[in-house]
Amino acid sequence: MTPSTGGGGAARTARHYIGGRFTDSHDGATFTVTNPSNRQPAGIAARGRDKDVAAAVAAATTAFEAGDWARAPASQRRSALFRVADAIEKRAADLAAIQALEMGEPIGEAAEAMVARSAWNFRFFAEEQELAANQSYNLDDRLITYTLTHPAGVFGLITPWNGPVMLSTWKIAPCIAYGNSAVHKPSELAPLSIAMLAEILDGAGVPPGVYNAVHGFGPEAGAALVEHPGIAGVSFTGSPRAAQDISRRTAGTSKRVSLELGGKSATIIFDDAPLDEAVREAAAAIFSNTGQSCVAGSRILVQQSIYHEFLARFEACAERWRVGDPFDPDTVIGPVVSEAQYERVKAYIELAGTEGTILFGGVAPRDDGLFIDPTAIIDIDPGARVCQEEIFGPVAVILPFADAADALAIANDSSYGLAGYIWTGSQSTAHSVALQLEAGMIWINSGFARDLRQPFGGVKGSGEGREGANHSRAFFSETRFVSFPVGRFDEAGL
Ligand code: ADP
């Protein structure tokens, strides 16, 4: 197989987008973006450092203070954000191709879902900011109080590579919808798609300086953004390691911080579950996006009585997860994103081979791209490293359990708590397990599905804060209250 390059010979570049202009770094520094399907250069990106971040924060602050966006009527912001959503849909094929090129996500169904969700992020928050109510209370007919919400200022948005457009729009849309300005530091592994997204925002008439993007590396551009005194807060999605650094750098400041980290989520399958669907969705939960998803169901817990039947069916199902060129519409699993990620996943699979048994899959050496076959590990202790650490590759561990209490003990034996998937024919089992499962988001008899009004985020080591509807609104807004007495002030007696 010779992976294609996505067509078109022109060199792709990601320049910073600052104050409505596409610019190089102040010192002209760049870095190469690599195509994981063939390890060849895919493009060049500007390498931002503190001066570029400072220019972006200054542009964002100027735009915020000018108020053309921050104080614009909500209906005006809605119109602009709807134009962004329309433009995302219009450029769906380009966005899918550039993501396939730089991070290997297949252009088929997964890309369609990414585009649909990215557009939805903008439409959803465009409407949310217009329709959201303030709160008003009447205290015993003596005091009327009401809240007012305002944009909070300039935010740093730091995003990962595993769903560059979808995960970035999930932060950009609420940040600017509620009237703030944004300085976005996208992942150094996927800057090209974000440069395209910046073009879309630019073309849709979002005023200059409201959205800014500075490309570069985490410890350089990312750290400079986090430390900049001009930002009101940081919304971050990524690794616990980077999150710790962000927490250290923001400690002792009044910056608000939202951290969405990883998971080691459990798919729990009881013997009364609809097994065909459970097998299909358990595979989708771990193999989608090559396992590079924070909500991946990377631990599959199966009730002992159906364990062997499940293994046979799961292996048969995994064969349909075709690994290959992300530009081939029949491909469902592309390469992992980077050489470092490839080596990391490979090391975990090798470790699993010594700690347990590889049921199927593994890493077949090849000299083209960073491809790893869907892999399943069995006969392994739930406390083993591959059962505890986030691998971020198409690697499932499958563990048997006796009953609900046993399933919960295994599932909750994790430092993470992002998602959970429960499969059972019993409503009471489903509810009681959901109640006790330490996870921020739980799906019963279903794969991953979103309602953007519900909170997205995890418990324990999976993060801090929630995103979605009123949660994003609270994070990206200042809320104040005003009160006045009903009747005479001295009669209010408060
Ligand atoms: P991964 O290892 O999966 O790439 P990271 O947490 O390293 O996840 O990266 C997620 C995002 O966080 C990227 O945009 C990256 O550049 C950024 N980042 C990494 N380290 C830091 C840091 N110390 N400060 C700020 N941003 C960082």
Side-chain angles (χ1 to χ4, degrees):
M1 184 196 67
T2 312
S4 71
T5 56
R12 291 171 170 80
T13 53
R15 302 171 86 201
H16 307 309
Y17 179 62
I18 298 176
R21 293 178 50 231
F22 288 91
T23 64
D24 295 325
S25 288
H26 71 281
D27 57 1
T30 59
F31 63 95
T32 302
V33 185
T34 303
N35 176 352
S37 297
N38 59 14
R39 296 176 160 103
Q40 298 301 310
I44 288 177
R47 180 173 180 169
R49 293 197 176 87
D50 47 2
K51 280 195 184 153
D52 307 293
V53 167
V57 175
T61 307
T62 302
F64 184 73
E65 288 174 354
D68 299 348
W69 181 260
R71 291 192 292 276
S75 58
Q76 200 172 308
R77 287 201 296 265
R78 172 170 50 80
S79 301
L81 298 174
F82 267 65
R83 288 196 297 274
V84 175
D86 293 345
I88 286 174
E89 284 166 346
K90 211 176 264 168
R91 294 197 71 181
D94 294 341
L95 285 167
I98 202 104
Q99 281 206 171
L101 182 74
E102 67 180 348
M103 55 72 71
E105 178 162 40
I107 57 162
E109 273 176 42
E112 275 171 36
M114 172 275 289
V115 167
R117 173 61 198 281
S118 301
W120 187 21
N121 286 339
F122 276 101
R123 291 204 183 98
F124 176 83
F125 284 107
E127 290 192 322
E128 218 283 332
Q129 58 95 30
E130 198 178 17
L131 299 176
N134 283 312
Q135 289 172 313
S136 172
Y137 298 100
N138 173 349
L139 184 65
D140 302 333
D141 284 337
R142 291 186 294 154
L143 196 67
I144 301 284
T145 64
Y146 58 89
T147 55
L148 294 171
T149 54
H150 305 276
V154 176
F155 281 87
L157 312 179
I158 301 181
T159 54
W161 47 266
N162 58 319
V165 176
M166 195 279 276
L167 293 173
S168 295
T169 55
W170 180 230
K171 293 189 191 302
I172 299 166
C175 178
I176 67 175
Y178 296 115
N180 304 285
S181 295
V183 178
H184 181 196
K185 210 302 281 169
S187 170
E188 54 272 45
L189 296 175
L192 302 174
S193 51
I194 302 307
M196 193 175 282
L197 186 63
E199 283 170 20
I200 288 173
L201 281 143
D202 188 69
V206 173
V210 170
Y211 170 75
N212 306 272
V214 178
H215 300 285
F217 295 95
E220 296 178 357
L225 179 56
V226 169
E227 289 208 327
H228 198 290
I231 59 164
V234 181
S235 179
F236 169 82
T237 297
S239 65
R241 180 187 39 77
Q244 275 169 11
D245 190 53
I246 291 169
S247 297
R248 254 196 316 274
R249 288 178 199 274
T250 50
T253 73
S254 58
K255 288 172 190 167
R256 50 189 85 176
V257 178
S258 162
L259 304 171
E260 203 275 276
L261 313 178
K264 190 76 184 176
S265 301
T267 294
I268 304 174
I269 304 172
F270 287 89
D271 61 8
D272 59 356
L275 202 52
D276 285 343
E277 285 152 84
V279 167
R280 193 185 65 227
E281 292 300 331
I286 179 60
F287 300 139
S288 297
N289 206 19
T290 321
Q292 303 169 125
S293 161
C294 57
V295 292
S298 47
R299 294 182 299 159
I300 304 176
L301 280 50
V302 185
Q303 196 154 20
Q304 187 69 65
S305 45
I306 55 163
Y307 183 68
H308 291 288
E309 185 185 354
F310 177 85
L311 294 186
R313 290 213 207 178
F314 189 70
E315 185 165 2
C317 177
E319 279 166 21
R320 296 201 291 272
W321 283 77
R322 193 171 161 273
V323 180
D325 178 1
F327 285 97
D328 178 341
D330 292 332
T331 293
V332 272
I333 298 194
V336 295
V337 71
S338 67
E339 205 75 55
Q341 192 58 20
Y342 181 77
E343 289 303 325
R344 191 180 131 87
V345 178
K346 204 168 105 179
Y348 273 117
I349 293 175
E350 280 161 11
L351 179 66
T354 65
E355 291 182 326
T357 305
I358 297 178
L359 177 67
F360 60 80
V363 184
R366 46 195 290 172
D367 50 19
D368 53 358
L370 306 168
F371 296 94
I372 295 179
D373 289 328
T375 299
I377 318 290
I378 56 170
D379 303 333
I380 193 148
D381 187 278
R385 279 185 57 202
V386 291
C387 298
Q388 292 290 325
E389 297 174 17
E390 188 179 38
I391 297 175
F392 232 55
V395 183
V397 291
I398 310 178
L399 303 159
F401 69 83
D403 53 20
D406 191 28
L408 280 162
I410 298 170
N412 289 340
D413 175 22
S414 172
S415 59
Y416 291 107
L418 189 58
Y421 307 86
I422 302 166
W423 290 88
T424 172
S426 155
Q427 200 173 0
S428 65
T429 301
H431 183 66
S432 109
V433 173
L435 210 56
Q436 297 171 78
L437 189 61
E438 294 166 358
M441 300 173 283
I442 296 171
W443 286 271
I444 293 166
N445 293 343
S446 130
F448 177 83
R450 284 289 286 135
D451 177 334
L452 303 189
R453 292 168 297 189
Q454 294 292 10
F456 189 100
V459 301
K460 302 201 286 190
S462 287
E464 213 176 283
R466 296 288 183 276
E467 298 178 275
N470 49 344
H471 305 276
S472 295
R473 185 184 191 222
F475 182 77
F476 287 116
S477 305
E478 289 289 5
T479 307
R480 305 181 298 139
F481 86 90
V482 177
S483 77
F484 59 89
V486 179
R488 284 186 42 184
F489 179 70
D490 54 358
E491 285 170 3
L494 294 166

